[in-house]
Coordinates of all heavy atoms in Angstrom, one line a residue:
G1 N 0.8 -1.2 0.0 CA 0.0 0.0 0.0 C 0.8 1.3 0.0 O 2.0 1.2 0.3
D2 N 0.2 2.3 -0.4 CA 0.8 3.6 -0.4 C 0.9 4.3 1.0 O -0.2 4.5 1.5 CB 0.1 4.5 -1.4 CG 0.6 5.9 -1.6 OD1 1.8 6.1 -1.3 OD2 -0.1 6.7 -2.1
K3 N 2.0 4.5 1.4 CA 2.2 5.1 2.8 C 1.4 6.4 2.9 O 0.7 6.6 4.0 CB 3.6 5.3 3.2 CG 4.4 4.1 3.5 CD 5.8 4.4 3.9 CE 6.6 3.2 4.1 NZ 8.0 3.5 4.5
A4 N 1.5 7.3 2.0 CA 0.8 8.6 2.0 C -0.7 8.4 2.1 O -1.4 9.1 2.9 CB 1.2 9.5 0.8
A5 N -1.3 7.5 1.4 CA -2.7 7.2 1.5 C -3.1 6.7 2.8 O -4.1 7.1 3.4 CB -3.1 6.3 0.3
I6 N -2.3 5.8 3.4 CA -2.6 5.2 4.7 C -2.5 6.3 5.7 O -3.4 6.5 6.6 CB -1.6 4.1 5.0 CG1 -1.9 2.9 4.1 CG2 -1.7 3.7 6.5 CD1 -0.8 1.8 4.2
Y7 N -1.5 7.2 5.7 CA -1.4 8.3 6.7 C -2.6 9.2 6.5 O -3.1 9.7 7.5 CB -0.1 9.1 6.5 CG 1.2 8.3 6.9 CD1 2.3 8.5 6.1 CD2 1.2 7.5 8.0 CE1 3.5 7.8 6.5 CE2 2.3 6.8 8.4 CZ 3.5 7.0 7.6 OH 4.6 6.3 8.0
S8 N -3.0 9.5 5.3 CA -4.1 10.3 5.1 C -5.4 9.8 5.7 O -6.2 10.5 6.3 CB -4.3 10.6 3.6 OG -5.5 11.3 3.3
Q9 N -5.6 8.5 5.5 CA -6.8 7.8 6.0 C -6.8 7.8 7.5 O -7.8 8.1 8.2 CB -6.9 6.4 5.5 CG -7.2 6.3 4.0 CD -7.2 4.8 3.5 OE1 -6.7 4.0 4.2 NE2 -7.7 4.6 2.3
I10 N -5.7 7.6 8.1 CA -5.6 7.6 9.6 C -5.9 9.1 10.1 O -6.6 9.2 11.1 CB -4.2 7.1 10.1 CG1 -4.0 5.6 9.8 CG2 -4.0 7.4 11.6 CD1 -2.6 5.1 10.0
G11 N -5.3 10.0 9.4 CA -5.6 11.4 9.8 C -7.0 11.8 9.7 O -7.6 12.5 10.6
E12 N -7.7 11.3 8.7 CA -9.1 11.6 8.6 C -9.9 10.9 9.7 O -10.8 11.6 10.3 CB -9.7 11.0 7.2 CG -9.2 11.8 6.0 CD -9.6 11.2 4.7 OE1 -10.6 10.4 4.7 OE2 -8.9 11.5 3.7
L13 N -9.6 9.7 10.1 CA -10.2 9.0 11.2 C -10.0 9.8 12.5 O -10.9 9.9 13.3 CB -9.7 7.6 11.3 CG -10.1 6.7 10.1 CD1 -9.4 5.3 10.3 CD2 -11.7 6.4 10.1
L14 N -8.8 10.2 12.7 CA -8.5 11.0 14.0 C -9.2 12.3 14.0 O -9.8 12.7 15.0 CB -7.0 11.2 14.1 CG -6.1 9.9 14.3 CD1 -4.6 10.2 14.3 CD2 -6.5 9.3 15.7
R15 N -9.3 13.0 12.9 CA -10.0 14.3 12.9 C -11.5 14.1 13.0 O -12.2 15.0 13.6 CB -9.7 15.0 11.5 CG -8.3 15.7 11.5 CD -8.1 16.6 10.3 NE -8.1 15.8 9.0 CZ -7.1 15.1 8.6 NH1 -5.9 15.1 9.2 NH2 -7.1 14.5 7.4
A16 N -12.0 12.9 12.6 CA -13.4 12.7 12.8 C -13.8 12.2 14.2 O -14.9 12.0 14.5 CB -13.8 11.6 11.8
G17 N -12.7 12.0 15.0 CA -13.0 11.6 16.4 C -13.3 10.2 16.6 O -13.9 9.7 17.6
T18 N -12.8 9.4 15.7 CA -13.0 7.9 15.8 C -12.2 7.3 16.9 O -11.1 7.7 17.2 CB -12.5 7.2 14.4 OG1 -13.2 7.8 13.3 CG2 -12.7 5.7 14.4
D19 N -12.9 6.5 17.7 CA -12.2 5.8 18.8 C -11.4 4.6 18.3 O -11.9 3.9 17.4 CB -13.3 5.3 19.8 CG -13.9 6.5 20.6 OD1 -13.2 7.5 20.7 OD2 -15.1 6.3 21.0
F20 N -10.3 4.3 19.0 CA -9.5 3.2 18.6 C -9.2 2.4 19.9 O -8.9 3.0 20.9 CB -8.1 3.7 18.0 CG -8.2 4.3 16.7 CD1 -8.4 5.6 16.5 CD2 -8.2 3.5 15.5 CE1 -8.5 6.2 15.3 CE2 -8.3 4.0 14.3 CZ -8.4 5.4 14.2
D21 N -9.2 1.1 19.8 CA -8.7 0.3 20.9 C -7.3 -0.1 20.5 O -7.1 -0.8 19.5 CB -9.6 -1.0 21.1 CG -10.9 -0.6 21.6 OD1 -11.0 0.3 22.5 OD2 -11.9 -1.3 21.2
I22 N -6.3 0.2 21.4 CA -4.9 -0.1 21.1 C -4.4 -1.0 22.2 O -4.7 -0.8 23.4 CB -4.1 1.2 21.1 CG1 -4.5 2.1 19.9 CG2 -2.6 0.8 20.9 CD1 -3.8 3.4 19.8
T23 N -3.8 -2.1 21.9 CA -3.2 -3.0 22.8 C -1.7 -3.0 22.7 O -1.2 -2.6 21.7 CB -3.8 -4.4 22.6 OG1 -3.4 -4.9 21.4 CG2 -5.3 -4.4 22.8
L24 N -1.0 -3.5 23.7 CA 0.4 -3.6 23.7 C 0.9 -4.8 24.4 O 0.4 -5.2 25.4 CB 1.0 -2.3 24.4 CG 2.5 -2.3 24.7 CD1 3.2 -1.9 23.4 CD2 2.8 -1.3 25.8
S25 N 1.9 -5.4 23.8 CA 2.6 -6.5 24.5 C 4.1 -6.1 24.5 O 4.6 -5.5 23.5 CB 2.5 -7.8 23.7 OG 1.1 -8.3 23.7
A26 N 4.8 -6.4 25.6 CA 6.2 -5.9 25.7 C 7.0 -7.0 26.4 O 6.5 -7.7 27.3 CB 6.3 -4.6 26.5
G27 N 8.2 -7.2 25.9 CA 9.2 -8.0 26.5 C 10.3 -7.2 27.1 O 10.8 -6.3 26.4
I28 N 10.8 -7.4 28.3 CA 11.8 -6.5 28.9 C 13.0 -7.4 29.4 O 12.8 -8.5 29.9 CB 11.2 -5.8 30.2 CG1 9.9 -5.0 29.7 CG2 12.2 -5.0 30.9 CD1 9.1 -4.6 30.9
A29 N 14.2 -6.9 29.1 CA 15.4 -7.5 29.6 C 16.3 -6.4 30.2 O 16.3 -5.3 29.7 CB 16.1 -8.2 28.5
F30 N 16.9 -6.7 31.3 CA 17.8 -5.7 32.0 C 19.2 -6.0 31.9 O 19.6 -7.1 32.1 CB 17.4 -5.6 33.5 CG 16.0 -5.1 33.8 CD1 14.9 -6.0 34.0 CD2 15.8 -3.7 33.8 CE1 13.7 -5.5 34.2 CE2 14.5 -3.2 34.0 CZ 13.4 -4.1 34.2
A31 N 20.0 -5.0 31.6 CA 21.5 -5.1 31.6 C 22.0 -4.8 33.0 O 21.4 -4.0 33.7 CB 22.1 -4.1 30.6
P32 N 23.0 -5.5 33.5 CA 23.8 -6.5 32.8 C 23.3 -7.9 33.1 O 23.8 -8.9 32.6 CB 25.2 -6.3 33.3 CG 25.0 -5.8 34.8 CD 23.7 -5.0 34.7
D33 N 22.3 -8.0 34.0 CA 21.8 -9.3 34.4 C 21.3 -10.2 33.3 O 21.5 -11.5 33.3 CB 20.7 -9.2 35.5 CG 21.3 -8.6 36.8 OD1 22.5 -8.7 37.0 OD2 20.4 -8.1 37.6
D34 N 20.6 -9.7 32.3 CA 20.0 -10.4 31.3 C 20.8 -10.4 30.0 O 20.4 -11.0 29.0 CB 18.6 -9.9 31.0 CG 17.7 -10.0 32.2 OD1 17.9 -11.0 33.0 OD2 16.8 -9.2 32.3
G35 N 21.9 -9.8 30.0 CA 22.8 -9.7 28.8 C 23.8 -8.6 28.9 O 23.4 -7.5 29.4
K36 N 24.9 -8.8 28.4 CA 25.9 -7.7 28.4 C 26.0 -7.0 27.0 O 26.4 -5.8 26.9 CB 27.3 -8.3 28.8 CG 27.3 -8.8 30.2 CD 28.6 -9.3 30.6 CE 28.8 -9.8 31.9 NZ 28.4 -10.1 33.0
S37 N 25.7 -7.7 25.9 CA 25.7 -7.0 24.6 C 24.3 -6.7 24.2 O 23.3 -7.2 24.7 CB 26.3 -8.0 23.6 OG 25.5 -9.1 23.4
F38 N 24.2 -5.8 23.2 CA 22.9 -5.5 22.6 C 22.2 -6.7 22.1 O 21.0 -6.9 22.3 CB 23.1 -4.4 21.5 CG 21.8 -4.2 20.8 CD1 20.8 -3.3 21.3 CD2 21.5 -4.8 19.6 CE1 19.6 -3.1 20.7 CE2 20.3 -4.6 18.9 CZ 19.4 -3.8 19.5
A39 N 23.0 -7.5 21.4 CA 22.4 -8.7 20.7 C 21.8 -9.7 21.8 O 20.7 -10.2 21.6 CB 23.4 -9.4 19.9
E40 N 22.5 -9.8 22.9 CA 22.0 -10.7 23.9 C 20.8 -10.1 24.6 O 19.8 -10.9 24.9 CB 23.1 -11.0 24.9 CG 22.8 -12.1 25.9 CD 24.0 -12.4 26.9 OE1 24.9 -11.6 26.9 OE2 23.9 -13.4 27.5
L41 N 20.8 -8.9 24.9 CA 19.6 -8.2 25.5 C 18.4 -8.2 24.6 O 17.3 -8.5 25.0 CB 20.0 -6.8 25.9 CG 20.8 -6.6 27.1 CD1 21.3 -5.1 27.2 CD2 20.1 -6.9 28.4
F42 N 18.7 -8.0 23.3 CA 17.6 -8.0 22.3 C 17.0 -9.4 22.2 O 15.7 -9.5 22.2 CB 18.1 -7.5 21.0 CG 17.0 -7.4 19.9 CD1 16.3 -6.2 19.8 CD2 16.8 -8.5 19.1 CE1 15.3 -6.1 18.9 CE2 15.8 -8.3 18.1 CZ 15.0 -7.2 18.0
Q43 N 17.8 -10.4 22.2 CA 17.3 -11.8 22.1 C 16.5 -12.1 23.3 O 15.4 -12.7 23.2 CB 18.5 -12.8 21.9 CG 18.0 -14.2 21.9 CD 17.2 -14.6 20.8 OE1 17.4 -14.2 19.6 NE2 16.1 -15.3 21.0
N44 N 17.0 -11.8 24.5 CA 16.3 -12.1 25.7 C 15.0 -11.3 25.8 O 13.9 -11.8 26.3 CB 17.2 -11.9 26.9 CG 18.3 -13.0 26.9 OD1 18.2 -14.0 26.3 ND2 19.4 -12.7 27.6
A45 N 14.9 -10.0 25.4 CA 13.7 -9.3 25.4 C 12.7 -9.9 24.4 O 11.5 -9.9 24.7 CB 14.0 -7.8 25.1
D46 N 13.2 -10.3 23.3 CA 12.3 -11.0 22.3 C 11.7 -12.3 22.9 O 10.6 -12.5 22.6 CB 13.1 -11.2 21.1 CG 12.3 -11.8 19.9 OD1 11.3 -11.1 19.6 OD2 12.5 -12.9 19.4
T47 N 12.5 -13.0 23.6 CA 12.0 -14.2 24.3 C 10.9 -13.9 25.2 O 9.8 -14.5 25.3 CB 13.1 -15.0 25.0 OG1 14.1 -15.3 24.1 CG2 12.6 -16.2 25.7
A48 N 11.1 -12.8 26.0 CA 10.0 -12.4 27.0 C 8.8 -11.9 26.2 O 7.7 -12.1 26.6 CB 10.6 -11.3 27.9
L49 N 9.0 -11.2 25.1 CA 7.9 -10.7 24.3 C 7.1 -11.8 23.7 O 5.9 -11.8 23.7 CB 8.4 -9.8 23.1 CG 7.4 -9.3 22.1 CD1 6.3 -8.5 22.8 CD2 8.1 -8.6 21.0
Y50 N 7.8 -12.9 23.2 CA 7.1 -14.0 22.7 C 6.1 -14.6 23.7 O 5.0 -15.0 23.5 CB 8.1 -15.1 22.3 CG 7.6 -16.3 21.7 CD1 7.2 -16.4 20.4 CD2 7.5 -17.5 22.5 CE1 6.7 -17.6 19.9 CE2 7.0 -18.7 22.1 CZ 6.5 -18.7 20.7 OH 6.0 -19.9 20.2
R51 N 6.6 -14.7 25.0 CA 5.8 -15.2 26.1 C 4.6 -14.2 26.4 O 3.5 -14.7 26.7 CB 6.6 -15.5 27.3 CG 7.5 -16.7 27.2 CD 6.7 -18.0 27.1 NE 7.5 -19.1 26.8 CZ 7.7 -20.1 27.7 NH1 7.2 -20.0 28.9 NH2 8.5 -21.1 27.4
A52 N 4.9 -12.9 26.4 CA 3.9 -12.0 26.7 C 2.8 -12.0 25.7 O 1.6 -11.9 26.0 CB 4.5 -10.5 26.7
K53 N 3.1 -12.2 24.4 CA 2.1 -12.2 23.4 C 1.1 -13.4 23.5 O 0.0 -13.3 23.0 CB 2.7 -12.3 22.0 CG 3.3 -11.0 21.6 CD 3.8 -11.1 20.1 CE 4.3 -9.7 19.7 NZ 4.8 -9.8 18.3
K54 N 1.5 -14.4 24.2 CA 0.6 -15.6 24.5 C -0.5 -15.1 25.4 O -1.6 -15.7 25.3 CB 1.4 -16.7 25.1 CG 2.3 -17.4 24.1 CD 3.0 -18.6 24.8 CE 3.8 -19.4 23.7 NZ 4.4 -20.5 24.3
G55 N -0.3 -14.1 26.2 CA -1.3 -13.6 27.1 C -2.1 -12.5 26.6 O -3.1 -12.1 27.1
K56 N -1.6 -11.9 25.5 CA -2.2 -10.7 24.9 C -2.3 -9.5 25.8 O -2.8 -9.6 26.9 CB -3.6 -11.0 24.4 CG -3.7 -12.3 23.5 CD -3.3 -12.0 22.1 CE -3.5 -13.2 21.2 NZ -3.0 -13.1 20.0
N57 N -1.9 -8.4 25.3 CA -2.0 -7.1 26.0 C -1.4 -7.1 27.4 O -2.0 -6.7 28.4 CB -3.5 -6.7 26.0 CG -3.6 -5.2 26.3 OD1 -2.8 -4.4 25.9 ND2 -4.6 -4.8 27.0
T58 N -0.2 -7.6 27.4 CA 0.5 -7.7 28.7 C 2.0 -7.5 28.5 O 2.5 -7.3 27.4 CB 0.2 -9.1 29.4 OG1 0.7 -9.1 30.7 CG2 0.8 -10.2 28.7
W59 N 2.8 -7.6 29.6 CA 4.2 -7.5 29.5 C 4.9 -8.6 30.3 O 4.2 -9.2 31.2 CB 4.7 -6.1 29.9 CG 4.3 -5.8 31.4 CD1 3.1 -5.2 31.7 CD2 5.0 -6.0 32.5 NE1 3.0 -5.1 33.0 CE2 4.1 -5.5 33.6 CE3 6.2 -6.5 32.9 CZ2 4.5 -5.6 34.9 CZ3 6.6 -6.6 34.2 CH2 5.8 -6.1 35.2
M60 N 6.1 -8.9 30.0 CA 6.9 -9.9 30.7 C 8.3 -9.5 30.8 O 8.9 -9.1 29.8 CB 6.7 -11.3 30.1 CG 7.5 -12.4 30.8 SD 7.1 -14.0 30.2 CE 5.6 -14.3 31.1
V61 N 8.9 -9.7 32.0 CA 10.3 -9.5 32.2 C 11.0 -10.8 31.9 O 10.6 -11.8 32.4 CB 10.6 -9.0 33.6 CG1 12.1 -8.8 33.9 CG2 9.9 -7.6 33.9
Y62 N 12.2 -10.7 31.2 CA 12.9 -11.9 30.9 C 13.3 -12.6 32.2 O 13.7 -12.1 33.2 CB 14.2 -11.5 30.1 CG 15.0 -12.7 29.8 CD1 14.7 -13.7 28.8 CD2 16.2 -13.0 30.5 CE1 15.5 -14.8 28.6 CE2 17.0 -14.0 30.4 CZ 16.6 -15.0 29.4 OH 17.4 -16.1 29.1
D63 N 13.2 -13.9 32.1 CA 13.7 -14.8 33.2 C 14.4 -16.0 32.5 O 13.9 -16.6 31.6 CB 12.5 -15.3 34.0 CG 12.8 -16.3 35.1 OD1 13.8 -17.0 35.0 OD2 12.1 -16.2 36.1
K64 N 15.6 -16.3 32.9 CA 16.4 -17.3 32.3 C 15.7 -18.7 32.2 O 15.9 -19.5 31.4 CB 17.8 -17.5 32.9 CG 17.7 -18.0 34.4 CD 19.1 -18.0 35.0 CE 18.9 -18.4 36.5 NZ 20.1 -18.3 37.2
N65 N 14.7 -18.9 33.1 CA 13.9 -20.1 33.1 C 12.9 -20.2 32.0 O 12.4 -21.3 31.7 CB 13.2 -20.2 34.4 CG 14.1 -20.4 35.6 OD1 15.2 -21.1 35.5 ND2 13.9 -19.7 36.7
I66 N 12.7 -19.1 31.2 CA 11.7 -19.1 30.1 C 12.5 -19.2 28.8 O 11.9 -19.1 27.7 CB 10.8 -17.9 30.1 CG1 11.6 -16.6 29.9 CG2 9.9 -17.9 31.3 CD1 10.7 -15.4 29.6
R67 N 13.8 -19.3 28.8 CA 14.6 -19.3 27.6 C 14.1 -20.2 26.5 O 14.0 -19.9 25.4 CB 16.1 -19.6 28.0 CG 16.9 -19.5 26.7 CD 18.4 -19.5 27.1 NE 19.0 -18.4 26.4 CZ 19.9 -17.6 26.8 NH1 20.5 -17.8 28.0 NH2 20.4 -16.6 26.1
G68 N 13.8 -21.4 26.9 CA 13.3 -22.4 25.8 C 11.8 -22.1 25.5 O 10.9 -22.6 26.2
R69 N 11.6 -21.3 24.5 CA 10.2 -20.9 24.1 C 9.3 -22.1 24.1 O 8.2 -22.2 24.0 CB 10.2 -20.3 22.7 CG 11.0 -19.0 22.7 CD 10.9 -18.4 21.3 NE 11.7 -17.2 21.3 CZ 11.6 -16.3 20.4 NH1 10.8 -16.5 19.4 NH2 12.3 -15.2 20.4

């Protein structure tokens, strides 16, 4: 799709006062306990996110015990 057209349609909906339901899932990893490099932290946060998405609209902090998806 055309990005400009999508942005335009979203703008029209917002100006019209359309209500939106927005949800969020997040995975969290803390340095240095959950990883020392960006790649390791990113991987561990992604593992936590994978688990959080199973519950929908929630968050999860990385735990080494959840490593095996």
Side-chain angles (χ1 to χ4, degrees):
D2 179 20
K3 286 182 186 180
I6 293 170
Y7 290 142
S8 176
Q9 290 174 348
I10 292 171
E12 289 175 24
L13 291 170
L14 293 172
R15 284 189 291 281
T18 304
D19 289 332
F20 292 92
D21 290 324
I22 298 174
T23 64
L24 171 77
S25 295
I28 303 166
F30 292 99
D33 293 338
D34 299 329
K36 294 183 181 11
S37 69
F38 172 81
E40 191 176 11
L41 285 167
F42 186 85
Q43 176 64 44
N44 292 340
D46 186 57
T47 298
L49 174 61
Y50 179 82
R51 289 294 177 108
K53 284 184 174 183
K54 288 183 177 183
K56 308 279 186 191
N57 199 32
T58 190
W59 56 274
M60 180 169 279
V61 175
Y62 176 76
D63 180 326
K64 64 184 175 187
N65 297 318
I66 65 167
R67 181 167 231 146
R69 296 181 180 195

